[in-house]
Amino acid sequence: MTTTIIRSTGYYAALMLFLAMSGCAGQKVSHSGFLPEETYSEMTPQKGHTDDKIYVKPGFDGAKYKIAVIDPVVWHPIAKAPHLKPEVAARMTDAFTTEIKKNVGKYYTIIDPSVCGACTEAIHIRAAITNIRRSKWYYNAIPVVAGFAAGAAGGGLPPIPPPFPGGASEELIAADGTTGETLVAIATYNNGMPWNMMGQWMPYLHAKRAFHLAAQLLAEEFKNNGAIQLPKEQK
């Protein structure tokens, strides 16, 4: 019994040392300069989204608009963001653009700028990925292996979050097509969750989930401010 406890304690101590060495490199809300500088100071956490920073123009009426123009998402990294190969950056920005179109398209008809000219009656949406982290399966496997090892020794370990789960930080802005005035601005992020096992092994699956949640948050702000969901045939 004593030997089992010592072995389990040893595995746990070694694992804790590894996790400490790996550091807390998770995503956070960013201030990249992608948004207008004066907007950052007006952004605050909101009920239900206390880790995000959000600005909504007072009196914003989401029902006033019927169409939306969405610029392609850009990679606008903060200083400590990793270097991305151009092909990887293109895949990630395309994935985020797709998520925004899918979610915003529930409330507004998405059109190409070439169709509406000046697009003065549209909401103009821009977004950027400001930081990203890929999952590293070779590190994430270590807590699993340690758990099996402790079990084989007759002990056990409490669930340990994977040290490199991946994730992404994003900034989004929706502006009036006529005045350019900011209607909604969001700085948000998401880190991989332990229950999303596939995300621990696939390099950017957790980042793509972060894109999905950021796009959902933007659509949620439209809905909360009066935007009316389109019939399915109009989406």
Side-chain angles (χ1 to χ4, degrees):
M1 179 66 176
T2 301
T3 302
T4 297
I5 293 175
I6 291 174
R7 287 177 177 173
S8 297
T9 302
Y11 286 121
Y12 188 74
L15 185 57
M16 289 299 98
L17 177 60
F18 166 76
L19 294 176
M21 291 176 65
S22 70
C24 297
Q27 303 303 300
K28 299 178 181 179
V29 167
S30 62
H31 183 146
S32 71
F34 176 76
L35 304 176
E37 196 59 36
E38 64 273 14
T39 301
Y40 286 104
S41 62
E42 297 180 303
M43 300 166 69
T44 59
Q46 303 288 326
K47 182 179 179 180
H49 298 285
T50 55
D51 292 331
D52 304 315
K53 290 188 176 181
I54 301 171
Y55 165 78
V56 178
K57 175 191 171 184
F60 166 50
D61 180 10
K64 171 184 174 182
Y65 304 87
K66 305 302 179 185
I67 59 177
V69 173
I70 301 174
D71 288 359
V73 171
V74 298
W75 169 234
H76 189 88
I78 59 174
K80 294 184 179 180
H83 171 75
L84 290 186
K85 294 180 179 179
E87 58 269 25
V88 174
R91 289 204 311 270
M92 295 300 102
T93 53
D94 286 349
F96 193 14
T97 301
T98 298
E99 285 291 344
I100 294 173
K101 288 182 176 180
K102 181 172 68 175
N103 283 274
V104 173
K106 297 176 182 178
Y107 301 96
Y108 301 114
T109 300
I110 309 300
I111 61 173
D112 189 273
S114 62
V115 176
C116 63
C119 303
T120 54
E121 298 180 356
I123 285 183
H124 182 196
I125 298 171
R126 299 186 299 114
I129 303 169
T130 57
N131 198 1
I132 198 167
R133 182 170 69 152
R134 59 176 291 170
S135 299
K136 297 182 179 180
W137 67 266
Y138 38 89
Y139 289 131
N140 293 336
I142 292 176
V144 177
V145 173
F148 281 129
L157 286 174
I160 302 296
F164 288 93
S169 300
E170 308 93 354
E171 296 179 14
L172 308 90
I173 184 169
D176 183 277
T178 301
T179 66
E181 186 177 15
T182 299
L183 303 173
V184 178
I186 296 172
T188 184
Y189 71 96
N190 191 263
N191 292 303
M193 304 302 291
W195 48 261
N196 189 350
M197 293 304 296
M198 287 299 296
Q200 317 304 347
W201 307 98
M202 305 295 289
Y204 291 104
L205 199 59
H206 280 156
K208 290 181 178 180
R209 179 175 179 271
F211 304 155
H212 172 70
L213 294 174
Q216 272 192 333
L217 179 54
L218 178 62
E220 179 183 323
E221 291 301 329
F222 291 148
K223 177 183 177 182
N224 291 344
N225 288 275
I228 301 172
Q229 188 162 349
L230 297 175
K232 289 186 178 180
E233 61 270 17
Q234 293 184 17
K235 295 179 182 178

